[in-house]
Amino acid sequence: MKKKLLLFILPIVLLSVTINAQNHTWDFSDSTIWPVAAGLTTDRTVDGLNIIAGGSATGTIASSSVAFSDGFTSVNAMSNGSATLTGVIPTKRGLSFPVSGPCTVSVWVSTSSTGRIASISNGTTVLNSYTSASPSPYKTILTASYTGGAGTVYVYSNNTMIFAKISVSYDPLSINEFKNETAAVFSNGNQIMVSNVKSNTTIEIYAITGALVKTIETNSDTNFNLNSGFYIAKVKSSEGEKSVKLLVR
């Protein structure tokens, strides 16, 4: 009975690990990652978030206590000024981050004035925007759905606005969608076999704790050994992306 129960629970645990490995939140109240600091004038990447300065000061982290509708209250927040755009891509005073597939992007945003606009774009089109308007307080949780494959999402504003938090949440169905055109990964005893490789392919192996244990880059079929256990293989190539559960004996 215990063995059957374990076999029933394990796929759920593995699925949760896969999803959590994809999701990410940038909470600017977390001073261990985002200490109070003046704005940057040169581009920098912090915890996977690209701060696009373009020579103009942006990304100041300062004290900002704002209570949002979901119960989150900020301590500090990031201030961003008026973005310079090429289409819907900020080249000055903006933020960007990579995404691996369909996901929901949320931005906890506030401002002190009306008529200010915060936007989320995919580099081609604006996915959603928020315009501050009376009555005050001028704050919201701006949410947008990204439906493409691997790409980049941009966050910016047309005037000074405060970003308290940004999150990316992936659709579990899209994360685990099997794509036949991508390389096949499966276990054979203590060996991991990789076949049907058609282009440069990256395979990341995660333990069930979510820890990355191995990364393989190849442009041809290959194999390698792993210690016994349960793993998640995340496969990325120009053909697509998928996650595969592995049992290594």
Side-chain angles (χ1 to χ4, degrees):
M1 178 65 182
K2 289 183 178 179
K3 184 176 181 180
K4 290 182 179 179
L5 183 59
L6 177 61
L7 292 174
F8 174 75
I9 292 173
L10 188 60
I12 298 174
V13 173
L14 291 175
L15 175 61
S16 298
V17 170
T18 305
I19 295 169
N20 292 336
Q22 305 290 322
N23 298 344
H24 198 90
T25 297
W26 294 279
D27 182 350
F28 302 115
S29 293
D30 184 353
S31 59
T32 60
I33 300 175
W34 303 96
V36 171
L40 302 169
T41 56
T42 56
D43 296 2
R44 184 180 300 177
T45 300
V46 179
D47 192 27
L49 181 67
N50 305 313
I51 302 169
I52 306 167
S56 298
T58 194
T60 297
I61 303 294
S63 176
S64 177
S65 179
V66 179
F68 291 88
S69 59
D70 64 342
F72 170 72
T73 299
S74 64
V75 175
N76 298 325
M78 177 182 284
S79 175
N80 282 268
S82 175
T84 298
L85 302 174
T86 298
V88 292
I89 297 177
T91 55
K92 290 185 178 181
R93 295 178 294 271
L95 304 170
S96 73
F97 48 89
V99 292
S100 58
C103 58
T104 299
V105 177
S106 299
V107 182
W108 285 251
V109 60
S110 66
T111 184
S112 60
S113 302
T114 60
R116 299 189 177 185
I117 304 171
S119 301
I120 302 171
S121 86
N122 61 5
T124 302
T125 187
V126 173
L127 302 177
N128 202 5
S129 62
Y130 160 70
T131 302
S132 59
S134 295
S136 64
Y138 315 122
K139 60 183 180 180
T140 193
I141 303 173
L142 173 62
T143 300
S145 295
Y146 175 84
T147 58
T152 302
V153 167
Y154 300 88
V155 177
Y156 56 89
S157 55
N158 73 335
N159 208 323
T160 301
M161 299 186 84
I162 303 298
F163 300 142
K165 185 166 67 170
I166 299 173
S167 76
V168 182
S169 178
Y170 286 84
D171 179 353
L173 295 178
S174 67
I175 292 173
N176 294 281
E177 179 184 2
F178 186 88
K179 297 183 178 181
N180 291 323
E181 64 272 20
T182 56
V185 180
F186 58 94
S187 60
N188 181 13
N190 69 340
Q191 279 199 322
I192 304 301
M193 316 298 292
V194 183
S195 63
N196 194 39
V197 176
K198 299 176 180 177
S199 63
N200 290 333
T201 299
T202 300
I203 301 122
E204 295 175 341
I205 305 295
Y206 292 89
I208 62 171
T209 60
L212 177 66
V213 298
K214 195 176 188 69
T215 300
I216 299 292
E217 294 184 356
T218 183
N219 56 12
S220 61
D221 294 2
T222 187
N223 61 79
F224 54 91
N225 294 336
L226 281 178
N227 294 330
S228 298
F230 294 96
Y231 299 90
I232 296 291
K234 183 177 177 182
V235 185
K236 298 179 183 178
S237 70
S238 59
E239 288 79 39
E241 179 178 339
K242 67 182 178 185
S243 294
V244 179
K245 301 167 191 173
L246 298 172
L247 171 60
V248 179
R249 302 181 184 278

mmCIF file with all atom_site columns, all heavy atoms in Angstrom, residues 201-226:
data_model
loop_
_atom_site.group_PDB
_atom_site.id
_atom_site.type_symbol
_atom_site.label_atom_id
_atom_site.label_alt_id
_atom_site.label_comp_id
_atom_site.label_asym_id
_atom_site.label_entity_id
_atom_site.label_seq_id
_atom_site.pdbx_PDB_ins_code
_atom_site.Cartn_x
_atom_site.Cartn_y
_atom_site.Cartn_z
_atom_site.occupancy
_atom_site.B_iso_or_equiv
_atom_site.pdbx_formal_charge
_atom_site.auth_seq_id
_atom_site.auth_comp_id
_atom_site.auth_asym_id
_atom_site.auth_atom_id
_atom_site.pdbx_PDB_model_num
ATOM 1   N N   . THR A 1 201 ? 21.521 21.825 -28.440 1.00 0.00 ? 201 THR A N   1
ATOM 2   C CA  . THR A 1 201 ? 20.539 21.492 -27.412 1.00 0.00 ? 201 THR A CA  1
ATOM 3   C C   . THR A 1 201 ? 21.182 21.563 -26.034 1.00 0.00 ? 201 THR A C   1
ATOM 4   O O   . THR A 1 201 ? 22.308 21.097 -25.838 1.00 0.00 ? 201 THR A O   1
ATOM 5   C CB  . THR A 1 201 ? 19.972 20.074 -27.634 1.00 0.00 ? 201 THR A CB  1
ATOM 6   O OG1 . THR A 1 201 ? 19.317 20.030 -28.912 1.00 0.00 ? 201 THR A OG1 1
ATOM 7   C CG2 . THR A 1 201 ? 18.982 19.682 -26.553 1.00 0.00 ? 201 THR A CG2 1
ATOM 8   N N   . THR A 1 202 ? 20.469 22.168 -25.097 1.00 0.00 ? 202 THR A N   1
ATOM 9   C CA  . THR A 1 202 ? 20.919 22.229 -23.701 1.00 0.00 ? 202 THR A CA  1
ATOM 10  C C   . THR A 1 202 ? 20.000 21.375 -22.850 1.00 0.00 ? 202 THR A C   1
ATOM 11  O O   . THR A 1 202 ? 18.772 21.492 -22.933 1.00 0.00 ? 202 THR A O   1
ATOM 12  C CB  . THR A 1 202 ? 20.915 23.672 -23.181 1.00 0.00 ? 202 THR A CB  1
ATOM 13  O OG1 . THR A 1 202 ? 21.789 24.470 -23.982 1.00 0.00 ? 202 THR A OG1 1
ATOM 14  C CG2 . THR A 1 202 ? 21.372 23.734 -21.728 1.00 0.00 ? 202 THR A CG2 1
ATOM 15  N N   . ILE A 1 203 ? 20.587 20.488 -22.053 1.00 0.00 ? 203 ILE A N   1
ATOM 16  C CA  . ILE A 1 203 ? 19.814 19.645 -21.142 1.00 0.00 ? 203 ILE A CA  1
ATOM 17  C C   . ILE A 1 203 ? 20.240 19.973 -19.721 1.00 0.00 ? 203 ILE A C   1
ATOM 18  O O   . ILE A 1 203 ? 21.429 19.842 -19.381 1.00 0.00 ? 203 ILE A O   1
ATOM 19  C CB  . ILE A 1 203 ? 20.024 18.146 -21.412 1.00 0.00 ? 203 ILE A CB  1
ATOM 20  C CG1 . ILE A 1 203 ? 19.602 17.810 -22.853 1.00 0.00 ? 203 ILE A CG1 1
ATOM 21  C CG2 . ILE A 1 203 ? 19.239 17.300 -20.426 1.00 0.00 ? 203 ILE A CG2 1
ATOM 22  C CD1 . ILE A 1 203 ? 20.689 17.208 -23.655 1.00 0.00 ? 203 ILE A CD1 1
ATOM 23  N N   . GLU A 1 204 ? 19.315 20.447 -18.915 1.00 0.00 ? 204 GLU A N   1
ATOM 24  C CA  . GLU A 1 204 ? 19.583 20.739 -17.508 1.00 0.00 ? 204 GLU A CA  1
ATOM 25  C C   . GLU A 1 204 ? 18.921 19.659 -16.663 1.00 0.00 ? 204 GLU A C   1
ATOM 26  O O   . GLU A 1 204 ? 17.729 19.380 -16.838 1.00 0.00 ? 204 GLU A O   1
ATOM 27  C CB  . GLU A 1 204 ? 19.045 22.119 -17.126 1.00 0.00 ? 204 GLU A CB  1
ATOM 28  C CG  . GLU A 1 204 ? 19.745 23.257 -17.855 1.00 0.00 ? 204 GLU A CG  1
ATOM 29  C CD  . GLU A 1 204 ? 19.124 24.603 -17.555 1.00 0.00 ? 204 GLU A CD  1
ATOM 30  O OE1 . GLU A 1 204 ? 17.961 24.625 -17.085 1.00 0.00 ? 204 GLU A OE1 1
ATOM 31  O OE2 . GLU A 1 204 ? 19.784 25.635 -17.777 1.00 0.00 ? 204 GLU A OE2 1
ATOM 32  N N   . ILE A 1 205 ? 19.673 19.058 -15.752 1.00 0.00 ? 205 ILE A N   1
ATOM 33  C CA  . ILE A 1 205 ? 19.153 18.003 -14.891 1.00 0.00 ? 205 ILE A CA  1
ATOM 34  C C   . ILE A 1 205 ? 18.956 18.566 -13.487 1.00 0.00 ? 205 ILE A C   1
ATOM 35  O O   . ILE A 1 205 ? 19.898 19.102 -12.880 1.00 0.00 ? 205 ILE A O   1
ATOM 36  C CB  . ILE A 1 205 ? 20.121 16.799 -14.834 1.00 0.00 ? 205 ILE A CB  1
ATOM 37  C CG1 . ILE A 1 205 ? 20.421 16.277 -16.248 1.00 0.00 ? 205 ILE A CG1 1
ATOM 38  C CG2 . ILE A 1 205 ? 19.542 15.698 -13.950 1.00 0.00 ? 205 ILE A CG2 1
ATOM 39  C CD1 . ILE A 1 205 ? 19.236 15.703 -16.978 1.00 0.00 ? 205 ILE A CD1 1
ATOM 40  N N   . TYR A 1 206 ? 17.728 18.455 -12.970 1.00 0.00 ? 206 TYR A N   1
ATOM 41  C CA  . TYR A 1 206 ? 17.394 18.945 -11.642 1.00 0.00 ? 206 TYR A CA  1
ATOM 42  C C   . TYR A 1 206 ? 17.050 17.781 -10.726 1.00 0.00 ? 206 TYR A C   1
ATOM 43  O O   . TYR A 1 206 ? 16.357 16.835 -11.128 1.00 0.00 ? 206 TYR A O   1
ATOM 44  C CB  . TYR A 1 206 ? 16.199 19.894 -11.696 1.00 0.00 ? 206 TYR A CB  1
ATOM 45  C CG  . TYR A 1 206 ? 16.486 21.204 -12.401 1.00 0.00 ? 206 TYR A CG  1
ATOM 46  C CD1 . TYR A 1 206 ? 16.305 21.335 -13.775 1.00 0.00 ? 206 TYR A CD1 1
ATOM 47  C CD2 . TYR A 1 206 ? 16.926 22.313 -11.681 1.00 0.00 ? 206 TYR A CD2 1
ATOM 48  C CE1 . TYR A 1 206 ? 16.575 22.534 -14.420 1.00 0.00 ? 206 TYR A CE1 1
ATOM 49  C CE2 . TYR A 1 206 ? 17.188 23.521 -12.321 1.00 0.00 ? 206 TYR A CE2 1
ATOM 50  C CZ  . TYR A 1 206 ? 17.010 23.619 -13.687 1.00 0.00 ? 206 TYR A CZ  1
ATOM 51  O OH  . TYR A 1 206 ? 17.265 24.813 -14.325 1.00 0.00 ? 206 TYR A OH  1
ATOM 52  N N   . ALA A 1 207 ? 17.512 17.849 -9.473  1.00 0.00 ? 207 ALA A N   1
ATOM 53  C CA  . ALA A 1 207 ? 17.074 16.905 -8.450  1.00 0.00 ? 207 ALA A CA  1
ATOM 54  C C   . ALA A 1 207 ? 15.647 17.265 -8.047  1.00 0.00 ? 207 ALA A C   1
ATOM 55  O O   . ALA A 1 207 ? 15.150 18.348 -8.380  1.00 0.00 ? 207 ALA A O   1
ATOM 56  C CB  . ALA A 1 207 ? 18.008 16.972 -7.246  1.00 0.00 ? 207 ALA A CB  1
ATOM 57  N N   . ILE A 1 208 ? 14.982 16.374 -7.307  1.00 0.00 ? 208 ILE A N   1
ATOM 58  C CA  . ILE A 1 208 ? 13.594 16.659 -6.922  1.00 0.00 ? 208 ILE A CA  1
ATOM 59  C C   . ILE A 1 208 ? 13.505 17.806 -5.926  1.00 0.00 ? 208 ILE A C   1
ATOM 60  O O   . ILE A 1 208 ? 12.427 18.336 -5.673  1.00 0.00 ? 208 ILE A O   1
ATOM 61  C CB  . ILE A 1 208 ? 12.875 15.416 -6.362  1.00 0.00 ? 208 ILE A CB  1
ATOM 62  C CG1 . ILE A 1 208 ? 13.571 14.909 -5.093  1.00 0.00 ? 208 ILE A CG1 1
ATOM 63  C CG2 . ILE A 1 208 ? 12.788 14.320 -7.405  1.00 0.00 ? 208 ILE A CG2 1
ATOM 64  C CD1 . ILE A 1 208 ? 12.783 13.829 -4.373  1.00 0.00 ? 208 ILE A CD1 1
ATOM 65  N N   . THR A 1 209 ? 14.651 18.218 -5.355  1.00 0.00 ? 209 THR A N   1
ATOM 66  C CA  . THR A 1 209 ? 14.681 19.387 -4.476  1.00 0.00 ? 209 THR A CA  1
ATOM 67  C C   . THR A 1 209 ? 14.656 20.687 -5.262  1.00 0.00 ? 209 THR A C   1
ATOM 68  O O   . THR A 1 209 ? 14.501 21.761 -4.697  1.00 0.00 ? 209 THR A O   1
ATOM 69  C CB  . THR A 1 209 ? 15.951 19.364 -3.615  1.00 0.00 ? 209 THR A CB  1
ATOM 70  O OG1 . THR A 1 209 ? 17.096 19.392 -4.479  1.00 0.00 ? 209 THR A OG1 1
ATOM 71  C CG2 . THR A 1 209 ? 16.005 18.135 -2.723  1.00 0.00 ? 209 THR A CG2 1
ATOM 72  N N   . GLY A 1 210 ? 14.846 20.574 -6.594  1.00 0.00 ? 210 GLY A N   1
ATOM 73  C CA  . GLY A 1 210 ? 14.916 21.759 -7.433  1.00 0.00 ? 210 GLY A CA  1
ATOM 74  C C   . GLY A 1 210 ? 16.334 22.201 -7.725  1.00 0.00 ? 210 GLY A C   1
ATOM 75  O O   . GLY A 1 210 ? 16.555 23.145 -8.486  1.00 0.00 ? 210 GLY A O   1
ATOM 76  N N   . ALA A 1 211 ? 17.336 21.515 -7.110  1.00 0.00 ? 211 ALA A N   1
ATOM 77  C CA  . ALA A 1 211 ? 18.742 21.889 -7.319  1.00 0.00 ? 211 ALA A CA  1
ATOM 78  C C   . ALA A 1 211 ? 19.225 21.415 -8.694  1.00 0.00 ? 211 ALA A C   1
ATOM 79  O O   . ALA A 1 211 ? 18.948 20.286 -9.104  1.00 0.00 ? 211 ALA A O   1
ATOM 80  C CB  . ALA A 1 211 ? 19.614 21.285 -6.230  1.00 0.00 ? 211 ALA A CB  1
ATOM 81  N N   . LEU A 1 212 ? 19.955 22.284 -9.390  1.00 0.00 ? 212 LEU A N   1
ATOM 82  C CA  . LEU A 1 212 ? 20.548 21.920 -10.676 1.00 0.00 ? 212 LEU A CA  1
ATOM 83  C C   . LEU A 1 212 ? 21.768 21.043 -10.405 1.00 0.00 ? 212 LEU A C   1
ATOM 84  O O   . LEU A 1 212 ? 22.693 21.460 -9.694  1.00 0.00 ? 212 LEU A O   1
ATOM 85  C CB  . LEU A 1 212 ? 20.957 23.184 -11.430 1.00 0.00 ? 212 LEU A CB  1
ATOM 86  C CG  . LEU A 1 212 ? 21.669 22.979 -12.777 1.00 0.00 ? 212 LEU A CG  1
ATOM 87  C CD1 . LEU A 1 212 ? 20.730 22.332 -13.786 1.00 0.00 ? 212 LEU A CD1 1
ATOM 88  C CD2 . LEU A 1 212 ? 22.176 24.318 -13.316 1.00 0.00 ? 212 LEU A CD2 1
ATOM 89  N N   . VAL A 1 213 ? 21.793 19.834 -10.962 1.00 0.00 ? 213 VAL A N   1
ATOM 90  C CA  . VAL A 1 213 ? 22.895 18.907 -10.695 1.00 0.00 ? 213 VAL A CA  1
ATOM 91  C C   . VAL A 1 213 ? 23.804 18.702 -11.903 1.00 0.00 ? 213 VAL A C   1
ATOM 92  O O   . VAL A 1 213 ? 24.944 18.275 -11.745 1.00 0.00 ? 213 VAL A O   1
ATOM 93  C CB  . VAL A 1 213 ? 22.377 17.540 -10.197 1.00 0.00 ? 213 VAL A CB  1
ATOM 94  C CG1 . VAL A 1 213 ? 21.626 17.699 -8.891  1.00 0.00 ? 213 VAL A CG1 1
ATOM 95  C CG2 . VAL A 1 213 ? 21.489 16.864 -11.245 1.00 0.00 ? 213 VAL A CG2 1
ATOM 96  N N   . LYS A 1 214 ? 23.333 18.991 -13.104 1.00 0.00 ? 214 LYS A N   1
ATOM 97  C CA  . LYS A 1 214 ? 24.168 18.773 -14.290 1.00 0.00 ? 214 LYS A CA  1
ATOM 98  C C   . LYS A 1 214 ? 23.612 19.545 -15.477 1.00 0.00 ? 214 LYS A C   1
ATOM 99  O O   . LYS A 1 214 ? 22.382 19.673 -15.619 1.00 0.00 ? 214 LYS A O   1
ATOM 100 C CB  . LYS A 1 214 ? 24.221 17.282 -14.621 1.00 0.00 ? 214 LYS A CB  1
ATOM 101 C CG  . LYS A 1 214 ? 25.333 16.868 -15.601 1.00 0.00 ? 214 LYS A CG  1
ATOM 102 C CD  . LYS A 1 214 ? 25.350 15.364 -15.783 1.00 0.00 ? 214 LYS A CD  1
ATOM 103 C CE  . LYS A 1 214 ? 26.536 14.877 -16.579 1.00 0.00 ? 214 LYS A CE  1
ATOM 104 N NZ  . LYS A 1 214 ? 27.811 15.041 -15.854 1.00 0.00 ? 214 LYS A NZ  1
ATOM 105 N N   . THR A 1 215 ? 24.502 20.064 -16.302 1.00 0.00 ? 215 THR A N   1
ATOM 106 C CA  . THR A 1 215 ? 24.108 20.735 -17.548 1.00 0.00 ? 215 THR A CA  1
ATOM 107 C C   . THR A 1 215 ? 24.912 20.130 -18.697 1.00 0.00 ? 215 THR A C   1
ATOM 108 O O   . THR A 1 215 ? 26.138 20.016 -18.603 1.00 0.00 ? 215 THR A O   1
ATOM 109 C CB  . THR A 1 215 ? 24.363 22.247 -17.480 1.00 0.00 ? 215 THR A CB  1
ATOM 110 O OG1 . THR A 1 215 ? 23.609 22.807 -16.403 1.00 0.00 ? 215 THR A OG1 1
ATOM 111 C CG2 . THR A 1 215 ? 23.949 22.919 -18.782 1.00 0.00 ? 215 THR A CG2 1
ATOM 112 N N   . ILE A 1 216 ? 24.206 19.734 -19.741 1.00 0.00 ? 216 ILE A N   1
ATOM 113 C CA  . ILE A 1 216 ? 24.841 19.159 -20.931 1.00 0.00 ? 216 ILE A CA  1
ATOM 114 C C   . ILE A 1 216 ? 24.473 20.008 -22.141 1.00 0.00 ? 216 ILE A C   1
ATOM 115 O O   . ILE A 1 216 ? 23.306 20.362 -22.330 1.00 0.00 ? 216 ILE A O   1
ATOM 116 C CB  . ILE A 1 216 ? 24.367 17.709 -21.171 1.00 0.00 ? 216 ILE A CB  1
ATOM 117 C CG1 . ILE A 1 216 ? 24.738 16.815 -19.991 1.00 0.00 ? 216 ILE A CG1 1
ATOM 118 C CG2 . ILE A 1 216 ? 24.940 17.154 -22.468 1.00 0.00 ? 216 ILE A CG2 1
ATOM 119 C CD1 . ILE A 1 216 ? 26.211 16.577 -19.821 1.00 0.00 ? 216 ILE A CD1 1
ATOM 120 N N   . GLU A 1 217 ? 25.463 20.346 -22.959 1.00 0.00 ? 217 GLU A N   1
ATOM 121 C CA  . GLU A 1 217 ? 25.211 21.029 -24.229 1.00 0.00 ? 217 GLU A CA  1
ATOM 122 C C   . GLU A 1 217 ? 25.728 20.138 -25.351 1.00 0.00 ? 217 GLU A C   1
ATOM 123 O O   . GLU A 1 217 ? 26.886 19.699 -25.313 1.00 0.00 ? 217 GLU A O   1
ATOM 124 C CB  . GLU A 1 217 ? 25.890 22.394 -24.250 1.00 0.00 ? 217 GLU A CB  1
ATOM 125 C CG  . GLU A 1 217 ? 25.304 23.376 -23.236 1.00 0.00 ? 217 GLU A CG  1
ATOM 126 C CD  . GLU A 1 217 ? 25.914 24.755 -23.343 1.00 0.00 ? 217 GLU A CD  1
ATOM 127 O OE1 . GLU A 1 217 ? 26.850 24.924 -24.154 1.00 0.00 ? 217 GLU A OE1 1
ATOM 128 O OE2 . GLU A 1 217 ? 25.458 25.660 -22.626 1.00 0.00 ? 217 GLU A OE2 1
ATOM 129 N N   . THR A 1 218 ? 24.874 19.877 -26.328 1.00 0.00 ? 218 THR A N   1
ATOM 130 C CA  . THR A 1 218 ? 25.268 18.972 -27.402 1.00 0.00 ? 218 THR A CA  1
ATOM 131 C C   . THR A 1 218 ? 24.549 19.335 -28.692 1.00 0.00 ? 218 THR A C   1
ATOM 132 O O   . THR A 1 218 ? 23.478 19.939 -28.670 1.00 0.00 ? 218 THR A O   1
ATOM 133 C CB  . THR A 1 218 ? 24.946 17.509 -27.019 1.00 0.00 ? 218 THR A CB  1
ATOM 134 O OG1 . THR A 1 218 ? 25.406 16.634 -28.042 1.00 0.00 ? 218 THR A OG1 1
ATOM 135 C CG2 . THR A 1 218 ? 23.455 17.308 -26.799 1.00 0.00 ? 218 THR A CG2 1
ATOM 136 N N   . ASN A 1 219 ? 25.139 18.955 -29.821 1.00 0.00 ? 219 ASN A N   1
ATOM 137 C CA  . ASN A 1 219 ? 24.457 19.111 -31.111 1.00 0.00 ? 219 ASN A CA  1
ATOM 138 C C   . ASN A 1 219 ? 24.322 17.759 -31.812 1.00 0.00 ? 219 ASN A C   1
ATOM 139 O O   . ASN A 1 219 ? 24.067 17.690 -33.005 1.00 0.00 ? 219 ASN A O   1
ATOM 140 C CB  . ASN A 1 219 ? 25.199 20.109 -32.003 1.00 0.00 ? 219 ASN A CB  1
ATOM 141 C CG  . ASN A 1 219 ? 26.659 19.727 -32.224 1.00 0.00 ? 219 ASN A CG  1
ATOM 142 O OD1 . ASN A 1 219 ? 27.075 18.612 -31.899 1.00 0.00 ? 219 ASN A OD1 1
ATOM 143 N ND2 . ASN A 1 219 ? 27.431 20.657 -32.767 1.00 0.00 ? 219 ASN A ND2 1
ATOM 144 N N   . SER A 1 220 ? 24.504 16.677 -31.027 1.00 0.00 ? 220 SER A N   1
ATOM 145 C CA  . SER A 1 220 ? 24.333 15.327 -31.562 1.00 0.00 ? 220 SER A CA  1
ATOM 146 C C   . SER A 1 220 ? 23.857 14.395 -30.455 1.00 0.00 ? 220 SER A C   1
ATOM 147 O O   . SER A 1 220 ? 23.937 14.748 -29.261 1.00 0.00 ? 220 SER A O   1
ATOM 148 C CB  . SER A 1 220 ? 25.646 14.806 -32.152 1.00 0.00 ? 220 SER A CB  1
ATOM 149 O OG  . SER A 1 220 ? 26.650 14.736 -31.153 1.00 0.00 ? 220 SER A OG  1
ATOM 150 N N   . ASP A 1 221 ? 23.361 13.222 -30.811 1.00 0.00 ? 221 ASP A N   1
ATOM 151 C CA  . ASP A 1 221 ? 22.904 12.254 -29.819 1.00 0.00 ? 221 ASP A CA  1
ATOM 152 C C   . ASP A 1 221 ? 24.051 11.915 -28.865 1.00 0.00 ? 221 ASP A C   1
ATOM 153 O O   . ASP A 1 221 ? 25.217 11.810 -29.276 1.00 0.00 ? 221 ASP A O   1
ATOM 154 C CB  . ASP A 1 221 ? 22.412 10.978 -30.495 1.00 0.00 ? 221 ASP A CB  1
ATOM 155 C CG  . ASP A 1 221 ? 21.151 11.210 -31.324 1.00 0.00 ? 221 ASP A CG  1
ATOM 156 O OD1 . ASP A 1 221 ? 20.695 12.372 -31.382 1.00 0.00 ? 221 ASP A OD1 1
ATOM 157 O OD2 . ASP A 1 221 ? 20.635 10.240 -31.904 1.00 0.00 ? 221 ASP A OD2 1
ATOM 158 N N   . THR A 1 222 ? 23.722 11.745 -27.578 1.00 0.00 ? 222 THR A N   1
ATOM 159 C CA  . THR A 1 222 ? 24.752 11.478 -26.587 1.00 0.00 ? 222 THR A CA  1
ATOM 160 C C   . THR A 1 222 ? 24.148 10.717 -25.417 1.00 0.00 ? 222 THR A C   1
ATOM 161 O O   . THR A 1 222 ? 22.941 10.441 -25.382 1.00 0.00 ? 222 THR A O   1
ATOM 162 C CB  . THR A 1 222 ? 25.386 12.803 -26.103 1.00 0.00 ? 222 THR A CB  1
ATOM 163 O OG1 . THR A 1 222 ? 26.502 12.511 -25.268 1.00 0.00 ? 222 THR A OG1 1
ATOM 164 C CG2 . THR A 1 222 ? 24.392 13.641 -25.325 1.00 0.00 ? 222 THR A CG2 1
ATOM 165 N N   . ASN A 1 223 ? 24.983 10.364 -24.433 1.00 0.00 ? 223 ASN A N   1
ATOM 166 C CA  . ASN A 1 223 ? 24.500 9.746  -23.199 1.00 0.00 ? 223 ASN A CA  1
ATOM 167 C C   . ASN A 1 223 ? 25.476 10.077 -22.079 1.00 0.00 ? 223 ASN A C   1
ATOM 168 O O   . ASN A 1 223 ? 26.631 10.430 -22.318 1.00 0.00 ? 223 ASN A O   1
ATOM 169 C CB  . ASN A 1 223 ? 24.335 8.232  -23.365 1.00 0.00 ? 223 ASN A CB  1
ATOM 170 C CG  . ASN A 1 223 ? 25.629 7.536  -23.699 1.00 0.00 ? 223 ASN A CG  1
ATOM 171 O OD1 . ASN A 1 223 ? 26.469 7.285  -22.839 1.00 0.00 ? 223 ASN A OD1 1
ATOM 172 N ND2 . ASN A 1 223 ? 25.811 7.223  -24.984 1.00 0.00 ? 223 ASN A ND2 1
ATOM 173 N N   . PHE A 1 224 ? 24.992 9.964  -20.847 1.00 0.00 ? 224 PHE A N   1
ATOM 174 C CA  . PHE A 1 224 ? 25.829 10.241 -19.675 1.00 0.00 ? 224 PHE A CA  1
ATOM 175 C C   . PHE A 1 224 ? 25.223 9.525  -18.472 1.00 0.00 ? 224 PHE A C   1
ATOM 176 O O   . PHE A 1 224 ? 24.074 9.071  -18.511 1.00 0.00 ? 224 PHE A O   1
ATOM 177 C CB  . PHE A 1 224 ? 25.936 11.755 -19.414 1.00 0.00 ? 224 PHE A CB  1
ATOM 178 C CG  . PHE A 1 224 ? 24.620 12.466 -19.298 1.00 0.00 ? 224 PHE A CG  1
ATOM 179 C CD1 . PHE A 1 224 ? 23.988 12.628 -18.071 1.00 0.00 ? 224 PHE A CD1 1
ATOM 180 C CD2 . PHE A 1 224 ? 24.003 12.994 -20.426 1.00 0.00 ? 224 PHE A CD2 1
ATOM 181 C CE1 . PHE A 1 224 ? 22.788 13.295 -17.958 1.00 0.00 ? 224 PHE A CE1 1
ATOM 182 C CE2 . PHE A 1 224 ? 22.792 13.665 -20.335 1.00 0.00 ? 224 PHE A CE2 1
ATOM 183 C CZ  . PHE A 1 224 ? 22.178 13.804 -19.094 1.00 0.00 ? 224 PHE A CZ  1
ATOM 184 N N   . ASN A 1 225 ? 26.003 9.414  -17.411 1.00 0.00 ? 225 ASN A N   1
ATOM 185 C CA  . ASN A 1 225 ? 25.584 8.693  -16.219 1.00 0.00 ? 225 ASN A CA  1
ATOM 186 C C   . ASN A 1 225 ? 25.068 9.640  -15.140 1.00 0.00 ? 225 ASN A C   1
ATOM 187 O O   . ASN A 1 225 ? 25.532 10.782 -15.026 1.00 0.00 ? 225 ASN A O   1
ATOM 188 C CB  . ASN A 1 225 ? 26.739 7.876  -15.645 1.00 0.00 ? 225 ASN A CB  1
ATOM 189 C CG  . ASN A 1 225 ? 27.171 6.751  -16.567 1.00 0.00 ? 225 ASN A CG  1
ATOM 190 O OD1 . ASN A 1 225 ? 26.388 6.286  -17.396 1.00 0.00 ? 225 ASN A OD1 1
ATOM 191 N ND2 . ASN A 1 225 ? 28.411 6.327  -16.440 1.00 0.00 ? 225 ASN A ND2 1
ATOM 192 N N   . LEU A 1 226 ? 24.131 9.120  -14.322 1.00 0.00 ? 226 LEU A N   1
ATOM 193 C CA  . LEU A 1 226 ? 23.649 9.829  -13.139 1.00 0.00 ? 226 LEU A CA  1
ATOM 194 C C   . LEU A 1 226 ? 23.544 8.842  -11.998 1.00 0.00 ? 226 LEU A C   1
ATOM 195 O O   . LEU A 1 226 ? 23.318 7.645  -12.216 1.00 0.00 ? 226 LEU A O   1
ATOM 196 C CB  . LEU A 1 226 ? 22.268 10.449 -13.392 1.00 0.00 ? 226 LEU A CB  1
ATOM 197 C CG  . LEU A 1 226 ? 22.181 11.754 -14.177 1.00 0.00 ? 226 LEU A CG  1
ATOM 198 C CD1 . LEU A 1 226 ? 20.726 12.149 -14.341 1.00 0.00 ? 226 LEU A CD1 1
ATOM 199 C CD2 . LEU A 1 226 ? 22.961 12.876 -13.505 1.00 0.00 ? 226 LEU A CD2 1
#
